[in-house]
Amino acid sequence: MRARNIKPTAMRELVLEVLSRQTAAIGLPELEEHFEKADRTTLYRTLKTFEEKKLIHKIDDGTGTVKYALCSETCECEPDDLHVHFLCKKCEKTYCLYNIPVPTINLPPGFQLDGVNMVVNGICSNCRT
Amino acid sequence: MRARNIKPTAMRELVLEVLSRQTAAIGLPELEEHFEKADRTTLYRTLKTFEEKKLIHKIDDGTGTVKYALCSETCECEPDDLHVHFLCKKCEKTYCLYNIPVPTINLPPGFQLDGVNMVVNGICSNCRT
DNA sequence: ATGAGGGATGCAACTGTATTGCAAAGTTAT
DNA sequence: ATAACTTTGCAATACAGTTGCATCCCTCAT
Ligand SMILES: [Mn+2]
Ligand SMILES: [Mn+2]
Ligand SMILES: [Zn+2]
Ligand SMILES: [Zn+2]
């Protein structure tokens, strides 16, 4: 896991462990709840480090809380690696649809594409009983 | 313009006028700067009303400030009406790409699609000299 | 072993946007 | 004119994110 060049401290191990257990993306406030002692700042900086080293990626689902999820092994967070995200308006969980790549967009002339954020919202399969 | 069922107060006229003049989407903080006297709350609620009545639509471009832009005449803000947005990382402006519809996504079984937020970021034609 | 250097952590303070409560002012209908 | 309803303004609050700074911890060179 630390093929990503991150110094493995105790705290980081714990955070990564929590992240690995998630079935949906997780935000800083929720991550905080998983710890008794840990400070928000430390978690914040841990996530930031993880993101910079491309161990996780950021997801802005429009809920006001930025969420994070593990990147796939080979992910470099470039346009080709990007996938669609799904926000359930019932359970408020955000899922990575790892196998649904973001569609290619033809921008108007003169526009340079660097990245895409695509969030689909609706109701997830769990919430549809 | 008030085919949208909004009582046209003086304030609202002014806000709509500012919105109409914009070439890019505008957020609450920036909208505030266009007025000397107006209160943030009033502007906030004006935008909210406009949005509910589908005169404008919300754009969350991930910058931390929600932006708004006029809807097209016939827009009902349903999946079919949605278009792609572009955030320029140079000028930080967010543009509606009204003529680029959001691509159709095939969700995994059990998922119900209600809406899509698709924001492309990169460099706009203005900033590329 | 020891002490310096550099990163990691924890605490507190602060930022900026969004949001709500409440009273005053304005509008509309009887 | 009065009552009912809507809009506005001000103040206070909520909340995620962020920064400064002191302290702790680990590693490395002496
Ligand atoms: Mn993802
Ligand atoms: Mn738009
Ligand atoms: Zn759900
Ligand atoms: Zn630009």
Side-chain angles (χ1 to χ4, degrees), chain A residues 88-93 95 123-124 126-127:
Chain A
C88 175
K89 54 177 64 163
K90 273 265 177 61
C91 62
E92 285 273 296
K93 284 192 194 305
Y95 299 96
I123 302 182
C124 78
N126 286 333
C127 290

Side-chain angles (χ1 to χ4, degrees), chain B residues 90-110:
Chain B
K90 272 266 177 60
C91 61
E92 285 273 296
K93 285 192 194 307
T94 298
Y95 299 95
C96 288
L97 304 181
Y98 289 107
N99 47 0
I100 303 186
V102 169
T104 310
I105 295 293
N106 285 312
L107 295 175

Side-chain angles (χ1 to χ4, degrees), chain A residues 5-35:
Chain A
N5 247 344
I6 304 168
K7 204 182 290 183
T9 69
M11 198 65 241
R12 287 172 180 170
E13 297 283 9
L14 288 173
V15 171
L16 180 56
E17 216 242 302
V18 171
L19 288 170
S20 311
R21 268 203 310 262
Q22 300 303 313
T23 163
I26 187 174
L28 178 53
E30 193 189 340
L31 180 61
E32 248 183 298
E33 294 172 4
H34 282 80
F35 295 89

Side-chain angles (χ1 to χ4, degrees), chain B residues 54-84:
Chain B
K54 304 191 169 138
L55 181 60
I56 62 179
H57 61 277
K58 186 196 294 241
I59 306 155
D60 189 325
D61 60 11
T63 55
T65 308
V66 174
K67 303 207 175 75
Y68 297 88
L70 290 178
C71 286
S72 59
E73 289 289 337
T74 62
C75 177
E76 288 300 328
C77 292
E78 297 188 353
D80 289 346
D81 297 312
L82 301 176
H83 53 265
V84 174

Side-chain angles (χ1 to χ4, degrees), chain A residues 7 9 11-12 39-42 45-46:
Chain A
K7 204 182 290 183
T9 69
M11 198 65 241
R12 287 172 180 170
D39 180 68
R40 190 169 66 252
T41 313
T42 304
R45 285 195 267 237
T46 300

Side-chain angles (χ1 to χ4, degrees), chain B:
Chain B
M1 283 291 183
R2 302 311 171 66
R4 295 285 188 173
N5 247 344
I6 305 168
K7 204 181 291 183
T9 69
M11 198 67 241
R12 286 170 181 171
E13 297 283 10
L14 287 173
V15 171
L16 179 55
E17 215 242 303
V18 171
L19 287 170
S20 311
R21 267 204 311 262
Q22 300 304 313
T23 163
I26 185 173
L28 178 54
E30 193 187 341
L31 180 60
E32 248 183 297
E33 294 172 5
H34 282 80
F35 295 88
E36 290 292 330
K37 48 175 178 49
D39 181 69
R40 190 171 66 251
T41 313
T42 304
L43 296 175
Y44 166 73
R45 285 195 267 237
T46 300
L47 290 174
K48 205 170 170 184
T49 302
F50 282 5
E51 191 201 354
E52 281 162 2
K53 297 304 176 66
K54 304 191 169 138
L55 181 60
I56 62 179
H57 61 277
K58 186 196 294 241
I59 306 155
D60 189 325
D61 60 11
T63 55
T65 308
V66 174
K67 303 207 175 75
Y68 297 88
L70 290 178
C71 286
S72 59
E73 289 289 337
T74 62
C75 177
E76 288 300 328
C77 292
E78 297 188 353
D80 289 346
D81 297 312
L82 301 176
H83 53 265
V84 174
H85 293 104
F86 185 91
L87 166 66
C88 176
K89 54 178 64 167
K90 272 266 177 60
C91 61
E92 285 273 296
K93 285 192 194 307
T94 298
Y95 299 95
C96 288
L97 304 181
Y98 289 107
N99 47 0
I100 303 186
V102 169
T104 310
I105 295 293
N106 285 312
L107 295 175
F111 283 73
Q112 175 189 321
L113 183 148
D114 285 349
V116 181
N117 180 34
M118 187 167 188
V119 178
V120 176
N121 63 77
I123 301 182
C124 78
S125 55
N126 287 334
C127 291
R128 292 203 44 188
T129 26

